[in-house]
Amino acid sequence: NAGVMQNPRHLVRRRGQEARLRCSPMKGHSHVYWYRQLPEEGLKFMVYLQKENIIDESGMPKERFSAEFPKEGPSILRIQQVVRGDSAAYFCASSPRRGDGEKLFFGSGTQLSVL
Amino acid sequence: QQPVQSPQAVILREGEDAVINCSSSKALYSVHWYRQKHGEAPIFLMILLKGGEQKGHDKISASFNEKKQQSSLYLTASQLSYSGTYFCGTEIKGRSNTGKLIFGQGTTLQVKP
């Protein structure tokens, strides 16, 4: 039973380019959470999605960032026109049911570096 | 809204004990504890759901004081493998709980031989 899969593991982009980060949740999990982690800091919540729905995007920057979780395929976190401040590790986590004390399973993360 | 963890860093010798605290300014539904090693995914340790609940496995245990909005993680007879950064994740009580966790800033634990 594969865990949460994220790819790519490392992504290098130049300022102004687009970054697409993919997350395949564990089998049977339909709830996905995205977190961002800056060096030496904690995990900051970005967005919570169920299949085809954004449930809570209170942690998403208002511009350039978007997320989706289509009926088929992985969840995608998209960052348009990247800037140096977007450099961070991006983790996704999945759970089989809606929150309420459910354990989150984390992927290994995507390290985004913006040159 | 972010819970505060203390201490920020701990250095131990193998076999020594440590306590990591997590304190929130908001009423909590649950507290989750994770350990993360450098460059790796956070690994789940335990969830505490009810005030007063205490849980543990091996030599790692935790308690949750709902009234004080605090949780503590206890590591006894520490091993080298315990080294890493420990995060508490809090689920704040609300009208509808989505499972969104707000994480503390982390406590770095280093266990030396």
Side-chain angles (χ1 to χ4, degrees):
Chain A
N1 188 13
V4 178
M5 304 298 291
Q6 287 189 251
N7 65 81
R9 191 82 170 85
H10 300 276
L11 182 62
V12 179
R13 284 287 176 265
R14 296 196 179 279
R15 278 179 296 170
Q17 289 185 319
E18 179 180 284
R20 279 184 180 242
L21 288 62
R22 286 177 289 278
C23 168
S24 296
M26 286 182 72
K27 190 176 179 181
H29 288 197
S30 58
H31 300 255
V32 166
Y33 303 78
W34 284 93
Y35 285 84
R36 175 164 63 176
Q37 186 175 37
L38 293 168
E40 311 304 324
E41 291 190 14
L43 297 142
K44 297 277 194 274
F45 169 79
M46 298 183 76
V47 62
Y48 162 43
L49 310 105
Q50 290 180 34
K51 283 283 187 183
E52 300 184 275
N53 289 303
I54 296 173
I55 307 301
D56 182 342
E57 56 182 345
S58 57
M60 287 280 268
K62 293 284 183 273
E63 296 175 351
R64 302 188 298 108
F65 284 71
S66 62
E68 61 176 14
F69 189 14
K71 192 175 178 182
E72 302 290 337
S75 175
I76 306 283
L77 180 68
R78 184 181 174 209
I79 311 172
Q80 294 178 290
Q81 298 174 323
V82 296
V83 301
R84 290 234 171 95
D86 296 333
S87 296
Y90 292 82
F91 288 93
C92 85
S94 71
S95 70
R97 284 170 289 278
R98 179 191 179 101
D100 289 355
E102 278 293 333
K103 167 181 164 183
L104 297 185
F105 296 80
F106 279 86
S108 296
T110 293
Q111 181 65 52
L112 173 66
S113 299
V114 179
L115 304 178
Chain B
Q1 207 176 9
Q2 181 184 30
V4 176
Q5 287 184 233
S6 63
Q8 279 193 299
V10 185
I11 299 176
L12 298 175
R13 293 274 177 208
E14 261 186 302
E16 290 182 339
D17 303 340
V19 180
I20 299 171
N21 300 303
C22 174
S23 182
S24 174
S25 60
K26 302 277 188 182
L28 300 176
Y29 179 79
S30 67
V31 179
H32 303 221
W33 285 96
Y34 286 81
R35 176 173 61 213
Q36 184 181 32
K37 295 192 184 269
H38 187 68
E40 298 181 9
I43 300 297
F44 171 81
L45 294 175
M46 63 189 78
I47 294 176
L48 300 114
L49 284 171
K50 300 173 204 169
E53 184 172 32
Q54 295 192 28
K55 277 191 172 181
H57 56 86
D58 286 337
K59 297 183 175 68
I60 300 177
S61 61
S63 63
F64 175 24
N65 186 323
E66 191 175 4
K67 205 169 178 182
K68 290 186 178 178
Q69 296 164 186
Q70 290 175 349
S71 177
S72 295
L73 185 72
Y74 307 94
L75 302 111
T76 56
S78 57
Q79 305 167 17
L80 293 175
S81 60
Y82 286 5
S83 293
T85 302
Y86 289 78
F87 293 100
C88 67
T90 54
E91 200 175 348
I92 293 166
K93 273 188 183 174
R95 277 178 296 177
S96 64
N97 286 85
T98 62
K100 170 175 100 179
L101 295 181
I102 308 296
F103 284 92
Q105 80 280 17
T107 295
T108 301
L109 176 73
Q110 187 180 4
V111 181
K112 294 186 172 180

